[in-house]
Coordinates of all heavy atoms in Angstrom, one line a residue:
A10 N 12.6 -7.3 2.8 CA 12.2 -8.1 1.7 C 12.1 -9.6 2.0 O 11.5 -10.4 1.3 CB 13.1 -7.9 0.5
G11 N 12.5 -10.0 3.2 CA 12.5 -11.4 3.6 C 11.1 -11.9 3.8 O 10.8 -13.1 3.6
F12 N 10.1 -11.0 4.1 CA 8.7 -11.5 4.2 C 8.2 -11.9 2.9 O 7.2 -12.7 2.9 CB 7.9 -10.4 4.9 CG 7.6 -9.2 4.0 CD1 6.5 -9.2 3.2 CD2 8.4 -8.1 4.0 CE1 6.2 -8.1 2.4 CE2 8.1 -7.0 3.2 CZ 7.1 -7.0 2.4
L13 N 8.8 -11.5 1.8 CA 8.2 -11.9 0.5 C 8.4 -13.4 0.2 O 7.7 -14.0 -0.6 CB 9.0 -11.2 -0.6 CG 8.7 -9.7 -0.7 CD1 9.5 -9.0 -1.8 CD2 7.2 -9.4 -1.1
V14 N 9.3 -14.0 0.9 CA 9.5 -15.5 0.8 C 8.2 -16.2 1.3 O 7.9 -17.3 0.8 CB 10.7 -16.0 1.6 CG1 10.8 -17.5 1.7 CG2 12.0 -15.3 1.1
Q15 N 7.4 -15.5 2.2 CA 6.2 -16.1 2.6 C 5.1 -16.3 1.5 O 4.1 -16.9 1.7 CB 5.6 -15.3 3.8 CG 6.5 -15.4 5.0 CD 6.7 -16.9 5.5 OE1 5.8 -17.7 5.5 NE2 7.9 -17.2 5.8
L16 N 5.4 -15.7 0.4 CA 4.5 -15.8 -0.8 C 4.4 -17.3 -1.2 O 3.5 -17.7 -2.0 CB 4.9 -14.9 -1.9 CG 4.6 -13.4 -1.7 CD1 5.2 -12.6 -2.9 CD2 3.1 -13.2 -1.6
T17 N 5.4 -18.1 -0.8 CA 5.3 -19.5 -1.2 C 4.0 -20.1 -0.6 O 3.4 -21.0 -1.3 CB 6.5 -20.3 -0.6 OG1 6.6 -20.2 0.8 CG2 7.8 -19.9 -1.3
T18 N 3.6 -19.7 0.5 CA 2.3 -20.1 1.1 C 1.2 -19.9 0.2 O 0.2 -20.7 0.1 CB 2.1 -19.4 2.4 OG1 3.2 -19.6 3.3 CG2 0.8 -19.9 3.1
V19 N 1.2 -18.8 -0.6 CA 0.1 -18.4 -1.5 C 0.4 -19.1 -2.9 O -0.6 -19.5 -3.5 CB 0.1 -16.9 -1.6 CG1 -1.0 -16.5 -2.6 CG2 -0.2 -16.3 -0.3
M20 N 1.6 -19.2 -3.3 CA 1.9 -19.7 -4.6 C 1.7 -21.2 -4.8 O 1.3 -21.6 -5.9 CB 3.3 -19.4 -5.0 CG 3.6 -17.9 -5.1 SD 2.7 -17.2 -6.5 CE 3.1 -15.5 -6.2
V21 N 1.9 -22.0 -3.8 CA 1.9 -23.4 -4.0 C 0.4 -23.9 -4.4 O 0.3 -24.7 -5.3 CB 2.3 -24.2 -2.7 CG1 2.0 -25.6 -2.7 CG2 3.8 -24.0 -2.5
P22 N -0.6 -23.4 -3.7 CA -2.0 -23.8 -4.2 C -2.3 -23.4 -5.6 O -2.9 -24.1 -6.4 CB -2.9 -23.2 -3.2 CG -2.1 -23.0 -1.9 CD -0.7 -22.7 -2.4
F23 N -1.8 -22.2 -6.0 CA -2.1 -21.7 -7.3 C -1.4 -22.5 -8.3 O -2.0 -22.9 -9.4 CB -1.6 -20.2 -7.5 CG -2.6 -19.2 -7.0 CD1 -2.4 -18.5 -5.8 CD2 -3.7 -18.9 -7.8 CE1 -3.4 -17.6 -5.4 CE2 -4.6 -18.0 -7.4 CZ -4.5 -17.3 -6.2
V24 N -0.1 -22.9 -8.1 CA 0.6 -23.7 -9.0 C 0.0 -25.1 -9.1 O -0.2 -25.7 -10.2 CB 2.1 -23.8 -8.6 CG1 2.8 -24.8 -9.5 CG2 2.7 -22.4 -8.8
Q25 N -0.4 -25.7 -8.0 CA -1.1 -27.0 -8.0 C -2.4 -26.9 -8.7 O -2.6 -27.8 -9.6 CB -1.3 -27.4 -6.5 CG -2.0 -28.8 -6.5 CD -2.3 -29.3 -5.1 OE1 -1.9 -28.6 -4.1 NE2 -3.0 -30.4 -4.9
A26 N -3.2 -26.0 -8.5 CA -4.5 -25.9 -9.2 C -4.3 -25.6 -10.7 O -5.0 -26.2 -11.6 CB -5.3 -24.7 -8.7
F27 N -3.2 -24.9 -11.1 CA -2.9 -24.6 -12.5 C -2.4 -25.9 -13.1 O -2.8 -26.2 -14.3 CB -1.9 -23.5 -12.6 CG -1.6 -23.1 -14.0 CD1 -2.5 -22.4 -14.7 CD2 -0.4 -23.4 -14.6 CE1 -2.3 -22.0 -16.0 CE2 -0.2 -23.1 -15.9 CZ -1.1 -22.3 -16.6
S28 N -1.6 -26.6 -12.5 CA -1.1 -27.9 -13.0 C -2.1 -28.9 -13.2 O -2.1 -29.7 -14.2 CB 0.1 -28.4 -12.2 OG -0.3 -28.8 -11.0
V29 N -3.1 -29.0 -12.3 CA -4.2 -29.9 -12.4 C -5.2 -29.4 -13.4 O -5.9 -30.2 -14.1 CB -4.9 -30.1 -11.0 CG1 -6.1 -30.9 -11.1 CG2 -3.9 -30.7 -10.0
G30 N -5.3 -28.1 -13.6 CA -6.3 -27.5 -14.5 C -7.6 -27.3 -13.9 O -8.6 -27.1 -14.7
N31 N -7.7 -27.4 -12.6 CA -9.0 -27.2 -12.0 C -8.8 -26.5 -10.6 O -8.3 -27.1 -9.7 CB -9.6 -28.6 -11.7 CG -11.0 -28.5 -11.1 OD1 -11.6 -27.4 -10.9 ND2 -11.6 -29.7 -10.8
F32 N -9.2 -25.3 -10.6 CA -9.1 -24.5 -9.4 C -10.0 -25.0 -8.2 O -9.8 -24.7 -7.1 CB -9.3 -23.0 -9.6 CG -8.1 -22.3 -10.2 CD1 -7.9 -22.4 -11.6 CD2 -7.2 -21.7 -9.4 CE1 -6.8 -21.8 -12.2 CE2 -6.1 -21.1 -10.0 CZ -5.9 -21.1 -11.4
Q33 N -11.0 -25.8 -8.6 CA -11.9 -26.3 -7.6 C -11.3 -27.5 -6.9 O -11.9 -28.0 -5.9 CB -13.3 -26.6 -8.2 CG -14.0 -25.4 -8.7 CD -15.3 -25.7 -9.3 OE1 -15.6 -26.8 -9.7 NE2 -16.1 -24.7 -9.5
S34 N -10.2 -28.0 -7.4 CA -9.6 -29.2 -6.8 C -8.9 -28.8 -5.4 O -8.6 -29.6 -4.6 CB -8.5 -29.8 -7.7 OG -7.4 -28.9 -7.9
I35 N -8.7 -27.5 -5.2 CA -8.2 -27.0 -3.9 C -9.4 -26.6 -3.1 O -10.3 -25.9 -3.5 CB -7.3 -25.8 -4.2 CG1 -6.2 -26.1 -5.2 CG2 -6.7 -25.3 -2.9 CD1 -5.3 -27.1 -4.8
S36 N -9.4 -27.0 -1.8 CA -10.5 -26.7 -0.9 C -10.7 -25.2 -0.7 O -9.7 -24.4 -0.7 CB -10.4 -27.5 0.4 OG -9.3 -26.9 1.2
M37 N -11.9 -24.8 -0.3 CA -12.2 -23.4 0.0 C -11.4 -23.0 1.2 O -11.0 -21.8 1.3 CB -13.7 -23.3 0.2 CG -14.1 -21.8 0.5 SD -13.6 -20.7 -0.8 CE -14.8 -21.1 -2.1
K38 N -11.2 -23.9 2.1 CA -10.5 -23.6 3.4 C -9.0 -23.2 3.0 O -8.5 -22.3 3.6 CB -10.4 -24.8 4.3 CG -9.8 -24.5 5.6 CD -9.7 -25.8 6.4 CE -11.0 -26.3 7.1 NZ -10.8 -27.4 8.0
T39 N -8.5 -23.9 2.0 CA -7.1 -23.5 1.6 C -7.1 -22.2 0.9 O -6.1 -21.4 1.1 CB -6.6 -24.6 0.6 OG1 -6.6 -25.9 1.3 CG2 -5.2 -24.3 0.2
W40 N -8.0 -21.9 0.0 CA -8.1 -20.6 -0.6 C -8.2 -19.5 0.4 O -7.6 -18.4 0.3 CB -9.2 -20.5 -1.7 CG -8.9 -21.3 -2.9 CD1 -9.7 -22.4 -3.4 CD2 -7.8 -21.2 -3.8 NE1 -9.1 -22.9 -4.5 CE2 -8.0 -22.2 -4.8 CE3 -6.7 -20.4 -3.8 CZ2 -7.1 -22.4 -5.8 CZ3 -5.8 -20.6 -4.9 CH2 -6.0 -21.5 -5.9
L41 N -9.1 -19.7 1.4 CA -9.3 -18.6 2.4 C -8.0 -18.4 3.2 O -7.6 -17.3 3.6 CB -10.4 -19.0 3.3 CG -11.8 -18.9 2.7 CD1 -12.9 -19.4 3.7 CD2 -12.1 -17.5 2.3
S42 N -7.3 -19.5 3.5 CA -6.0 -19.5 4.2 C -5.0 -18.7 3.3 O -4.2 -17.9 3.9 CB -5.5 -20.9 4.5 OG -6.4 -21.5 5.3
C43 N -5.0 -18.9 2.0 CA -4.1 -18.2 1.1 C -4.4 -16.7 1.2 O -3.5 -15.9 1.2 CB -4.2 -18.7 -0.3 SG -3.4 -20.3 -0.5
L44 N -5.6 -16.4 1.1 CA -6.0 -15.0 1.2 C -5.6 -14.3 2.5 O -5.1 -13.2 2.5 CB -7.6 -14.8 1.0 CG -8.1 -13.4 1.0 CD1 -7.6 -12.6 -0.1 CD2 -9.6 -13.5 1.0
L45 N -5.8 -15.0 3.6 CA -5.4 -14.5 4.9 C -3.8 -14.3 4.9 O -3.3 -13.3 5.4 CB -5.8 -15.4 6.0 CG -5.6 -15.0 7.4 CD1 -6.3 -13.7 7.7 CD2 -6.0 -16.1 8.4
A46 N -3.1 -15.3 4.4 CA -1.7 -15.2 4.4 C -1.2 -14.0 3.5 O -0.3 -13.3 3.9 CB -1.1 -16.5 3.8
F47 N -1.8 -13.8 2.4 CA -1.5 -12.7 1.5 C -1.8 -11.4 2.2 O -1.0 -10.4 2.1 CB -2.2 -12.8 0.2 CG -1.8 -11.7 -0.8 CD1 -0.5 -11.8 -1.4 CD2 -2.6 -10.7 -1.2 CE1 -0.1 -10.8 -2.3 CE2 -2.3 -9.7 -2.1 CZ -1.0 -9.8 -2.6
C48 N -2.9 -11.3 2.9 CA -3.2 -10.1 3.6 C -2.1 -9.8 4.7 O -1.7 -8.7 4.9 CB -4.6 -10.2 4.3 SG -5.9 -10.1 3.1
G49 N -1.6 -10.9 5.3 CA -0.5 -10.7 6.3 C 0.7 -10.2 5.7 O 1.4 -9.4 6.2
V50 N 1.0 -10.6 4.4 CA 2.2 -10.1 3.7 C 2.0 -8.6 3.4 O 3.0 -7.8 3.6 CB 2.4 -10.9 2.4 CG1 3.5 -10.3 1.5 CG2 2.9 -12.3 2.7
L51 N 0.8 -8.2 3.0 CA 0.6 -6.8 2.8 C 0.7 -6.0 4.1 O 1.2 -4.9 4.0 CB -0.8 -6.6 2.2 CG -1.0 -7.1 0.8 CD1 -2.5 -6.9 0.3 CD2 -0.1 -6.4 -0.2
V52 N 0.2 -6.5 5.2 CA 0.3 -5.8 6.5 C 1.7 -5.6 6.8 O 2.1 -4.5 7.3 CB -0.5 -6.5 7.6 CG1 -0.2 -6.0 8.9 CG2 -2.0 -6.4 7.3
M53 N 2.5 -6.7 6.7 CA 4.0 -6.5 7.0 C 4.6 -5.5 6.1 O 5.6 -4.8 6.5 CB 4.7 -7.9 6.9 CG 4.3 -8.8 8.0 SD 5.3 -10.3 8.1 CE 5.0 -11.1 6.6
G54 N 4.1 -5.4 4.8 CA 4.7 -4.4 3.9 C 4.5 -3.0 4.3 O 5.3 -2.1 4.0
V55 N 3.3 -2.7 4.8 CA 3.0 -1.3 5.2 C 3.1 -1.0 6.6 O 2.9 0.1 7.1 CB 1.5 -1.0 4.7 CG1 1.3 -1.0 3.3 CG2 0.5 -1.8 5.5
D56 N 3.6 -2.0 7.4 CA 3.8 -1.8 8.9 C 4.8 -0.7 9.1 O 5.8 -0.6 8.5 CB 4.3 -3.1 9.5 CG 4.4 -3.0 11.0 OD1 3.5 -2.4 11.6 OD2 5.3 -3.6 11.6
G57 N 4.4 0.2 10.0 CA 5.3 1.3 10.4 C 5.2 2.5 9.5 O 5.8 3.5 9.8
K58 N 4.3 2.4 8.5 CA 4.2 3.6 7.6 C 3.1 4.5 8.2 O 2.0 4.0 8.4 CB 3.9 3.1 6.2 CG 3.7 4.2 5.2 CD 3.6 3.7 3.8 CE 3.4 4.7 2.8 NZ 4.1 5.9 2.8
D59 N 3.4 5.7 8.4 CA 2.5 6.7 8.9 C 1.7 7.2 7.7 O 2.2 7.7 6.7 CB 3.1 7.8 9.6 CG 3.8 7.4 10.9 OD1 3.3 6.5 11.5 OD2 4.8 8.0 11.3
L60 N 0.4 7.2 7.8 CA -0.5 7.7 6.7 C -0.8 9.2 7.0 O -1.2 9.6 8.1 CB -1.8 6.9 6.7 CG -1.7 5.4 6.3 CD1 -3.1 4.8 6.4 CD2 -1.1 5.2 5.0
T61 N -0.7 10.0 6.0 CA -1.1 11.4 6.1 C -2.6 11.5 5.8 O -3.2 10.5 5.5 CB -0.3 12.3 5.0 OG1 -0.7 11.8 3.7 CG2 1.2 12.1 5.2
Q62 N -3.2 12.7 6.0 CA -4.6 12.8 5.7 C -5.0 12.5 4.3 O -6.1 12.0 4.1 CB -5.0 14.2 6.1 CG -5.1 14.5 7.6 CD -5.7 15.9 7.9 OE1 -5.4 16.8 7.1 NE2 -6.4 16.0 9.0
D63 N -4.1 12.8 3.4 CA -4.5 12.6 1.9 C -4.2 11.2 1.5 O -4.5 10.8 0.4 CB -3.7 13.6 1.1 CG -4.1 15.0 1.4 OD1 -5.2 15.3 1.8 OD2 -3.2 15.9 1.2
E64 N -3.5 10.4 2.3 CA -3.1 9.1 1.9 C -4.1 8.0 2.5 O -4.5 8.1 3.6 CB -1.7 8.8 2.4 CG -1.0 7.6 1.8 CD 0.5 7.5 2.2 OE1 0.8 8.0 3.3 OE2 1.2 7.1 1.3
T65 N -4.4 7.0 1.6 CA -5.2 6.0 2.1 C -4.4 4.7 2.2 O -3.2 4.6 1.9 CB -6.3 5.7 1.0 OG1 -5.7 5.3 -0.2 CG2 -7.2 6.9 0.8
V66 N -5.0 3.7 2.8 CA -4.4 2.4 2.9 C -4.0 1.8 1.6 O -2.9 1.2 1.4 CB -5.3 1.4 3.7 CG1 -4.7 0.0 3.8 CG2 -5.5 1.9 5.1
L67 N -4.9 2.0 0.6 CA -4.6 1.5 -0.7 C -3.4 2.1 -1.4 O -2.6 1.5 -2.1 CB -5.9 1.6 -1.6 CG -7.1 0.7 -1.3 CD1 -8.2 1.0 -2.2 CD2 -6.7 -0.7 -1.4
S68 N -3.3 3.4 -1.1 CA -2.1 4.1 -1.7 C -0.8 3.6 -1.0 O 0.2 3.6 -1.6 CB -2.2 5.6 -1.6 OG -2.3 6.1 -0.3
A69 N -0.9 3.3 0.3 CA 0.2 2.8 1.0 C 0.6 1.4 0.5 O 1.8 1.1 0.3 CB -0.1 2.7 2.5
I70 N -0.4 0.6 0.1 CA -0.1 -0.7 -0.5 C 0.5 -0.5 -1.8 O 1.4 -1.3 -2.2 CB -1.4 -1.6 -0.5 CG1 -1.8 -2.0 0.9 CG2 -1.2 -2.8 -1.4 CD1 -3.2 -2.6 1.0
A71 N 0.0 0.4 -2.6 CA 0.6 0.7 -3.9 C 2.0 1.1 -3.8 O 2.9 0.8 -4.6 CB -0.2 1.8 -4.6
D72 N 2.4 1.9 -2.7 CA 3.8 2.3 -2.5 C 4.7 1.1 -2.3 O 5.8 1.1 -2.7 CB 3.9 3.2 -1.3 CG 3.3 4.6 -1.6 OD1 3.2 4.9 -2.8 OD2 3.1 5.4 -0.7
V73 N 4.1 0.1 -1.6 CA 4.9 -1.1 -1.3 C 5.3 -1.8 -2.6 O 6.4 -2.2 -2.9 CB 4.1 -2.1 -0.4 CG1 4.8 -3.5 -0.4 CG2 4.0 -1.6 1.0
F74 N 4.3 -1.9 -3.5 CA 4.5 -2.6 -4.8 C 5.4 -1.7 -5.7 O 6.1 -2.3 -6.5 CB 3.2 -3.0 -5.5 CG 2.6 -4.2 -4.8 CD1 1.4 -4.0 -4.1 CD2 3.1 -5.4 -4.8 CE1 0.7 -5.0 -3.5 CE2 2.5 -6.5 -4.1 CZ 1.3 -6.3 -3.5
S75 N 5.3 -0.4 -5.7 CA 6.0 0.4 -6.6 C 7.5 0.5 -6.1 O 8.3 0.9 -6.9 CB 5.4 1.8 -6.7 OG 5.5 2.5 -5.4
G76 N 7.8 0.2 -4.9 CA 9.1 0.3 -4.4 C 9.9 -1.0 -4.5 O 11.0 -1.1 -3.9
F77 N 9.5 -1.9 -5.4 CA 10.2 -3.2 -5.6 C 11.6 -2.9 -6.2 O 11.7 -2.1 -7.1 CB 9.4 -4.1 -6.4 CG 8.4 -4.9 -5.7 CD1 8.2 -4.8 -4.3 CD2 7.6 -5.8 -6.3 CE1 7.3 -5.5 -3.7 CE2 6.7 -6.6 -5.7 CZ 6.5 -6.4 -4.3
T78 N 12.5 -3.6 -5.7 CA 13.9 -3.6 -6.3 C 14.1 -4.9 -7.1 O 13.3 -5.8 -7.0 CB 14.9 -3.4 -5.3 OG1 14.9 -4.6 -4.4 CG2 14.7 -2.2 -4.4
Q79 N 15.2 -5.0 -7.7 CA 15.6 -6.2 -8.5 C 15.7 -7.4 -7.5 O 15.2 -8.5 -7.8 CB 16.9 -6.0 -9.2 CG 17.2 -7.2 -10.0 CD 18.5 -7.1 -10.8 OE1 19.2 -6.1 -10.6 NE2 18.9 -8.0 -11.6
G80 N 16.2 -7.1 -6.3 CA 16.3 -8.2 -5.3 C 14.9 -8.7 -4.8 O 14.7 -9.9 -4.7
D81 N 14.0 -7.8 -4.7 CA 12.6 -8.2 -4.3 C 12.0 -9.0 -5.4 O 11.3 -10.0 -5.1 CB 11.7 -6.9 -4.1 CG 12.2 -6.1 -2.9 OD1 12.8 -6.7 -2.0 OD2 11.9 -4.9 -2.9
L82 N 12.2 -8.7 -6.6 CA 11.6 -9.5 -7.7 C 12.3 -10.9 -7.8 O 11.6 -11.8 -8.1 CB 11.8 -8.7 -9.1 CG 11.0 -7.4 -9.2 CD1 11.4 -6.7 -10.5 CD2 9.5 -7.7 -9.1
L83 N 13.6 -10.9 -7.5 CA 14.2 -12.2 -7.4 C 13.7 -13.1 -6.3 O 13.5 -14.3 -6.4 CB 15.7 -12.1 -7.3 CG 16.4 -11.6 -8.5 CD1 17.9 -11.3 -8.2 CD2 16.3 -12.5 -9.7
I84 N 13.4 -12.5 -5.2 CA 12.8 -13.2 -4.0 C 11.4 -13.7 -4.4 O 11.0 -14.9 -4.1 CB 12.7 -12.4 -2.8 CG1 14.1 -12.1 -2.3 CG2 11.9 -13.0 -1.7 CD1 14.2 -11.1 -1.2
I85 N 10.6 -12.9 -5.1 CA 9.3 -13.4 -5.6 C 9.4 -14.5 -6.6 O 8.7 -15.5 -6.5 CB 8.5 -12.2 -6.2 CG1 8.1 -11.2 -5.0 CG2 7.2 -12.7 -6.9 CD1 7.5 -9.9 -5.5
L86 N 10.4 -14.4 -7.4 CA 10.7 -15.5 -8.4 C 11.1 -16.8 -7.6 O 10.6 -17.9 -8.0 CB 11.8 -15.1 -9.3 CG 12.2 -16.2 -10.4 CD1 11.0 -16.4 -11.3 CD2 13.4 -15.7 -11.2
A87 N 11.8 -16.7 -6.6 CA 12.2 -17.8 -5.7 C 10.9 -18.4 -5.1 O 10.8 -19.7 -5.0 CB 13.2 -17.4 -4.7
A88 N 10.0 -17.6 -4.6 CA 8.8 -18.1 -4.0 C 7.9 -18.8 -5.1 O 7.4 -19.9 -4.8 CB 8.0 -16.9 -3.4
V89 N 7.9 -18.3 -6.3 CA 7.1 -19.0 -7.4 C 7.8 -20.3 -7.7 O 7.2 -21.3 -7.9 CB 7.0 -18.1 -8.6 CG1 6.4 -18.8 -9.8 CG2 6.1 -16.9 -8.2
S90 N 9.1 -20.3 -7.7 CA 9.9 -21.5 -8.1 C 9.8 -22.6 -7.1 O 10.0 -23.8 -7.4 CB 11.4 -21.1 -8.4 OG 11.4 -20.2 -9.4
Y91 N 9.6 -22.2 -5.9 CA 9.6 -23.2 -4.8 C 8.5 -24.2 -5.0 O 8.7 -25.3 -4.8 CB 9.4 -22.5 -3.4 CG 9.4 -23.4 -2.3 CD1 10.5 -24.0 -1.8 CD2 8.2 -23.7 -1.6 CE1 10.5 -24.9 -0.7 CE2 8.1 -24.5 -0.5 CZ 9.3 -25.2 -0.1 OH 9.2 -26.0 1.0

């Protein structure tokens, strides 16, 4: 769950744009970097998971999100609060 702390990389531009009230105040380069960072968080979440024939990458990602514990949610809250 430690990789969830890396969500601060994604949350900071969102919070800044929300507080300014203009999502265009953040450069496109920053938004693309956030998307890349979030994809990295997803890759770390499904890393090492073997996919069966009936399972897709999207279902593996859904498994990551459905397996959240209270501790994971607190770490996400910490990332948002940062």
Side-chain angles (χ1 to χ4, degrees):
F12 70 90
L13 290 174
V14 174
Q15 293 303 317
L16 286 175
T17 57
T18 306
V19 178
M20 295 295 175
V21 168
F23 275 105
V24 172
Q25 180 182 355
F27 185 73
S28 67
V29 172
N31 183 4
F32 280 85
Q33 293 178 346
S34 65
I35 308 297
S36 70
M37 184 58 72
K38 188 187 282 188
T39 301
W40 288 122
L41 291 174
S42 299
C43 289
L44 179 64
L45 183 63
F47 185 70
C48 289
V50 169
L51 289 178
V52 167
M53 288 190 298
V55 297
D56 187 38
K58 181 168 174 48
D59 292 329
L60 299 177
T61 62
Q62 283 184 327
D63 297 333
E64 194 172 32
T65 64
V66 173
L67 291 178
S68 65
I70 292 171
D72 287 344
V73 169
F74 288 113
S75 67
F77 276 0
T78 64
Q79 183 180 4
D81 294 334
L82 295 176
L83 288 173
I84 290 171
I85 292 172
L86 181 63
V89 171
S90 299
Y91 178 74

